[in-house]
Amino acid sequence: MMAFPDVYEIGMSNLGMMILYDMFNKRDDVWCERLFSPWTDLDKIMREEKIPLFTLESQDPVKEFDFLGITLGYEMCYTNILQILDMSGIPLSAEMTDLHHSFWQSTSMIL
């Protein structure tokens, strides 16, 4: 899964995101989905209703994927990485988890 730490309208116009998404999905052994940060109003609703952050294509929760890649287009979206991890239920630091956390056992994080 590829994440762009900004809203859909910004992320979908990012050329790097388009190229990587196309490149990965041309492979027979890869299925790549996309994830964007929600607007603040949806963020609030999702947190209140305890809805985990999910992907654009399948609406599967982020924690169910084997790989999370985050593309950074500019510095202003760095803090949105924390939003993505938090809303996905992924511990933000080693102090918040142990090595048995299911996401860290099966996922590679690339920033």
Side-chain angles (χ1 to χ4, degrees):
M1 175 210 346
M2 282 184 15
F4 190 88
D6 208 328
V7 295
Y8 174 88
E9 292 81 358
I10 303 290
M12 282 301 290
S13 65
N14 182 277
L15 185 58
M17 184 81 161
M18 286 186 233
I19 291 169
L20 289 170
Y21 179 75
D22 182 62
M23 181 186 72
F24 284 127
N25 281 320
K26 281 185 177 175
R27 295 180 54 104
D28 293 333
D29 59 342
V30 173
W31 173 248
C32 182
E33 295 194 31
R34 294 167 291 184
L35 167 72
F36 301 95
S37 293
W39 283 99
T40 54
D41 56 346
L42 181 57
D43 179 300
K44 183 177 186 265
I45 293 168
M46 290 176 75
R47 289 177 191 272
E48 288 172 353
E49 300 294 325
K50 299 190 182 346
I51 300 169
L53 197 58
F54 52 85
T55 62
L56 180 65
E57 286 78 12
S58 68
Q59 289 80 49
D60 288 333
V62 173
K63 286 175 63 171
E64 293 183 8
F65 286 83
D66 296 325
F67 182 88
L68 172 60
I70 301 174
T71 181
L72 296 168
Y74 45 89
E75 295 83 7
M76 294 298 290
C77 64
Y78 286 2
T79 56
N80 289 357
I81 295 170
L82 301 176
Q83 176 200 37
I84 287 172
L85 294 175
D86 185 44
M87 291 186 72
S88 300
I90 299 168
L92 300 177
S93 69
E95 291 80 29
M96 298 173 78
T97 188
D98 58 29
L99 293 178
H100 302 292
H101 188 275
S102 61
F103 184 82
W104 295 118
Q105 282 183 341
S106 63
T107 303
S108 300
M109 175 69 78
I110 297 179
L111 295 177

